[in-house]
Amino acid sequence: MKLQFLAPAALLALLLAGCNSKTEQQSSAAPATETAAAGASAATGKKRILFFGNSLTAGMGLDPEEAFPALIGQKIDSAGLGYEVMNAGLSGETTAGGRSRVGWVLRQPVDIFVLELGANDGLRGLPLADTRRNLQAIIDTVRKKSPDAKIVLAGMQMPPNLGASYAADFSKIYPELAQKNNATLIPFLLEGVAGHVELNQRDGIHPTAEGDRIIARTVWKVLLPLLQ
C-alpha cells in the first residue's frame, strides 16, 4: 500500500511529521499534494481514511511505513477492505494549529476522520478550555465538510508533573467530546506504550517502531468495526 501524505497549500513540498515536547523536531515523510491524493482516490475508487494529528500520527523518528497509520493501511490491504489511508500529521501541532488547517485538509471529502491532537497542548500546559474548544471546532468542520464521515477521537493522557488536577481534567476531554459528538473513542492512544522505556525513543515521548506496532493494534481494534 502507498501511504498518502498531505501538505499545506502554501508549501506543497512540505514534509509532514508529528508532535513534539518542549523542543520542535520533525521526521521525514513522503511528500504529496492533496490533489494527488484525491486523484489516487478517484482512480482506485477506494474510500478515504484521514489521520489528522501531530508526530504521533506521522511517526517522528521512524520510516514513514513504520508509523501506525501506514501499519493500519497494511492491515486494511491484508483484509481486502476498500479504503486508502492518508496521513496529515504535523510536527509540533497543537489543537489551535489543527483548527486553523483542517479546512484546507478537508477540501476533498473523507469517509473516516481520525483526530489525534492535544498532546502538545498538555505538554505546554495550555488552558484546557481552549483545547476542548479547538477540538470541538475541528469536529464541527469535519461535520460541515464531510457530513457522512465517521469520526474517531484518539484519547490522550498527561503525566502529573503539571498537577494531578490538570492531568485528570485533561483526560476527561476526550470521552466527553466523543459522547457529545457521537464519535468513536480510542480511550488512550498510547496504551501499553507510554512509560515503557524500551518502547520509546530517547526523548521518552515518541514511540519506537515496536511502540507504533502496539499503537496500530490499539487503533485497529477500534477502527475495524467501522470499516466492515
Side-chain angles (χ1 to χ4, degrees):
M1 172 177 181
K2 184 178 181 181
L3 183 67
Q4 298 287 343
F5 286 82
L6 308 184
L11 297 171
L12 295 180
L14 182 65
L15 303 182
L16 297 185
C19 91
N20 63 4
S21 58
K22 298 294 183 181
T23 59
E24 302 236 345
Q25 304 175 37
Q26 287 189 319
S27 65
S28 294
T33 67
E34 186 183 73
T35 301
S41 180
T44 62
K46 292 182 178 181
K47 295 181 178 180
R48 307 168 78 212
I49 303 174
L50 178 66
F51 286 85
F52 187 76
N54 47 46
S55 60
L56 294 177
T57 288
M60 182 173 171
L62 306 176
D63 291 337
E65 293 303 314
E66 294 177 319
F68 76 84
L71 300 178
I72 293 296
Q74 294 171 20
K75 292 177 183 292
I76 287 172
D77 286 350
S78 296
L81 300 171
Y83 288 85
E84 65 178 357
V85 170
M86 278 159 285
N87 189 324
L90 183 63
S91 180
E93 186 78 297
T94 60
T95 57
R99 178 178 182 175
S100 69
R101 73 183 174 102
V102 68
W104 183 89
V105 171
L106 290 174
R107 289 190 301 170
Q108 295 294 328
V110 298
D111 298 282
I112 296 178
F113 185 93
V114 182
L115 175 55
E116 178 274 303
L117 281 175
N120 285 324
D121 294 43
L123 290 171
R124 298 171 186 180
L126 299 181
L128 296 179
D130 291 348
T131 297
R132 183 186 295 271
R133 187 180 305 111
N134 291 331
L135 289 172
Q136 182 62 59
I138 293 170
I139 292 171
D140 291 343
T141 300
V142 176
R143 296 292 192 209
K144 179 180 179 180
K145 297 281 188 176
S146 293
D148 297 325
K150 299 174 182 177
I151 297 177
V152 178
L153 185 59
M156 188 55 58
Q157 297 178 11
M158 284 293 113
N161 57 301
L162 293 175
S165 177
Y166 184 93
D169 290 343
F170 182 94
S171 65
K172 293 176 183 178
I173 291 174
Y174 298 92
E176 291 175 358
L177 283 179
Q179 183 176 19
K180 175 182 177 181
N181 293 281
N182 194 29
T184 301
L185 177 67
I186 301 170
F188 181 33
L189 182 69
L190 300 179
E191 184 68 40
V193 177
H196 294 267
V197 175
E198 71 281 6
L199 296 176
N200 288 275
Q201 299 174 44
R202 293 181 64 181
D203 62 11
I205 296 174
H206 296 94
T208 62
E210 177 58 30
D212 260 46
R213 285 193 285 272
I214 294 173
I215 294 172
R217 291 196 292 269
T218 297
V219 174
W220 185 243
K221 290 178 183 178
V222 174
L223 192 59
L224 180 58
L226 303 180
L227 306 179
Q228 297 175 325

